[in-house]
């Protein structure tokens, strides 16, 4: 039963002093899971490049923050292990980086937090990202019967991230603000949906869709190394602002 799995696998982690000292950066997909495809590129490769650029900016500019990656190469990491890395390291924030897919005309960035999907489009994004569990061994046991097609599964998932929702939204809003005002990207807003990788992370967490590989113009933009650095800088600025704001409140 899903309820038992969530309760038994969930534990509270965090800093009693309110400091943001550890961030886990998750490059979506990898290895046998390439994610979505554009005409010339794969989601797993673009996500990794942006994740590494983000980590480098944090390490160079915020030496008091420990940066941990779920992967640094083209390797396959199960969703449950990505969140597990964050939990085992008592991370203060979990950032998962992805590329989006949709109609050729769709463009822009989205940042998701764990929660109930409010539109069919949000559900479709979550289902696409969650479908990687079918590539995992023992996925039925690890996720204890989770069915992405089941509304009940998504409701149960959202309940157990509620303790971190405020700060997850705080960070997500800063990401979208910086994408729009600093990087010049089109923002599709902050949204909520049932992402397995966020569900199991016992800390504030967000999943960032940095653009659509299915849009030829955006795919070209996302494949440019300079633009990858710009995107990473937008996330870095959001993280820096989030850290400063949170620590000033404590």
């Amino acid at each position: 039963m899903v309820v038992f799995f969530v309760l038994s696998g969930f534990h509270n982690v965090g800093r009693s002093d309110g400091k943001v000292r550890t961030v886990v950066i998750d490059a979506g997909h990898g290895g046998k899971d390439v994610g979505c495809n554009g005409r010339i590129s794969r989601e797993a490769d673009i996500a990794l490049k942006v994740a590494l650029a983000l980590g480098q900016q944090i390490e160079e500019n915020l030496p008091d923050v420990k940066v941990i990656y779920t992967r640094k190469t083209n390797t396959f990491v199960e969703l449950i292990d990505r969140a597990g890395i964050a939990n085992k390291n008592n991370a203060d924030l979990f950032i998962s980086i992805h590329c989006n897919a949709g109609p050729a005309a769709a463009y822009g960035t989205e940042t998701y937090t764990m929660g109930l999907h409010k539109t069919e489009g949000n559900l479709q994004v979550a289902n696409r990202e969650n479908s990687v569990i079918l590539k995992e061994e023992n996925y039925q046991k690890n996720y204890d019967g989770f069915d992405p097609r089941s509304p009940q599964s998504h409701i149960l998932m959202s309940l157990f991230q509620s303790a971190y929702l405020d700060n997850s939204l705080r960070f997500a809003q800063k990401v979208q603000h910086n994408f729009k005002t600093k990087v010049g990207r089109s923002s599709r807003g902050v949204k909520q949906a049932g992402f397995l990788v966020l569900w199991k992370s016992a800390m504030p967490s967000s999943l960032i869709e940095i653009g659509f590989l299915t849009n030829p113009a955006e795919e070209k933009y996302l494949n440019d190394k300079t633009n990858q650095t710009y995107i990473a800088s937008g996330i870095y600025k959001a993280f820096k602002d989030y850290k400063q704001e949170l620590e000033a409140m404590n």
Side-chain angles (χ1 to χ4, degrees), residues 34-46 49 99 212-214 218-220 222-223 228:
V34 301
C36 67
N37 289 308
R39 292 180 180 176
I40 60 171
S41 54
R42 306 182 306 179
E43 178 181 5
D45 299 328
I46 302 296
K49 291 175 182 177
C99 300
F212 284 80
L213 284 183
T214 46
E218 281 218 323
E219 182 183 19
K220 182 178 179 181
L222 292 171
N223 271 275
Q228 292 166 3

Side-chain angles (χ1 to χ4, degrees), residues 27-35 42 44-45 48 71 73-77 82 132 135:
H29 307 279
K32 63 184 178 181
D33 172 28
V34 301
R42 306 182 306 179
D45 299 328
L48 179 60
R71 68 180 182 98
T73 59
N74 184 30
T75 53
F76 179 72
V77 183
R82 294 170 189 265
V132 64
K135 299 179 184 289

Side-chain angles (χ1 to χ4, degrees), residues 20-37:
V20 179
R21 296 174 182 164
T22 303
V23 59
V24 168
I25 301 175
D26 173 47
H29 307 279
K32 63 184 178 181
D33 172 28
V34 301
C36 67
N37 289 308

Side-chain angles (χ1 to χ4, degrees), residues 192-211:
Q192 290 181 273
F195 291 94
L196 285 168
V197 72
L198 302 184
W199 169 37
K200 292 300 296 174
S201 55
M203 72 281 305
S205 57
S206 292
L207 186 147
I208 305 170
E209 299 278 6
I210 60 174

Side-chain angles (χ1 to χ4, degrees), residues 78-96:
E78 294 187 356
L79 293 183
I80 198 167
D81 290 334
R82 294 170 189 265
I85 290 169
N87 293 341
K88 281 185 281 188
N89 286 279
N90 290 338
D92 301 297
L93 183 66
F94 180 82
I95 304 172
S96 190

Side-chain angles (χ1 to χ4, degrees), residues 79 125-134 146 148 154 157 194-197:
L79 293 183
V125 173
N127 284 347
R128 179 173 61 80
E129 300 293 4
N130 290 340
S131 66
V132 64
I133 67 171
L134 300 177
F146 172 81
H154 287 279
M157 286 169 66
F195 291 94
L196 285 168
V197 72

